[in-house]
């Protein structure tokens, strides 16, 4: 079966995170944060919220990965916090 997208169609995205040696399961990204087909868009990470439960200076990296089209395409791990206090 061939996937056919029209301009503006929602592209479903899944995400997972890696922290303290563990990895989360894939979770669906809310539709209002998903990209649209054939539309130039971007997102910006503003850092992790203080109540997120992660201490970025404790020596542990926090990473996130994304999956598109039912895990057919996956990004490599993206470091959001390097474990040395840098985001």
């Amino acid at each position: 079966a061939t996937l056919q997208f029209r301009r503006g169609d929602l592209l479903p995205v899944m995400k997972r995170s890696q922290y303290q040696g563990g990895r989360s399961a894939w979770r669906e990204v809310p539709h209002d944060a998903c990209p649209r087909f054939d539309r130039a868009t971007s997102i910006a990470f503003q850092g992790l919220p203080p109540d997120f439960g992660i201490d970025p200076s404790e020596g542990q990296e926090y990473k996130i990965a994304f999956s598109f089209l039912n895990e057919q395409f996956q990004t490599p791990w993206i470091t959001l916090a390097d474990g040395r206090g840098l985001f």
Side-chain angles (χ1 to χ4, degrees):
T2 302
L3 294 175
Q4 294 184 355
F5 291 102
R6 292 185 304 247
R7 182 176 173 82
D9 283 353
L10 178 83
L11 297 176
V13 178
M14 303 288 281
K15 67 176 180 175
R16 68 179 177 172
S17 59
Q18 178 175 287
Y19 181 64
Q20 291 184 331
R23 290 183 179 174
S24 71
W26 286 108
R27 294 187 192 118
E28 190 173 352
V29 171
H31 287 177
D32 62 342
C34 288
R36 301 286 177 161
F37 183 74
D38 198 24
R39 293 221 177 126
T41 58
S42 63
I43 62 167
F45 291 107
Q46 301 299 324
L48 303 172
D51 61 347
F52 198 67
I54 293 176
D55 180 356
S57 63
E58 71 181 16
Q60 295 287 327
E61 293 182 323
Y62 181 81
K63 297 180 180 185
I64 192 167
F66 297 99
S67 168
F68 301 89
L69 300 175
N70 298 320
E71 299 183 40
Q72 289 183 43
F73 304 99
Q74 295 179 17
T75 67
W77 288 103
I78 302 165
T79 302
L80 297 183
D82 71 355
R84 296 176 299 218
L86 299 176
F87 290 89

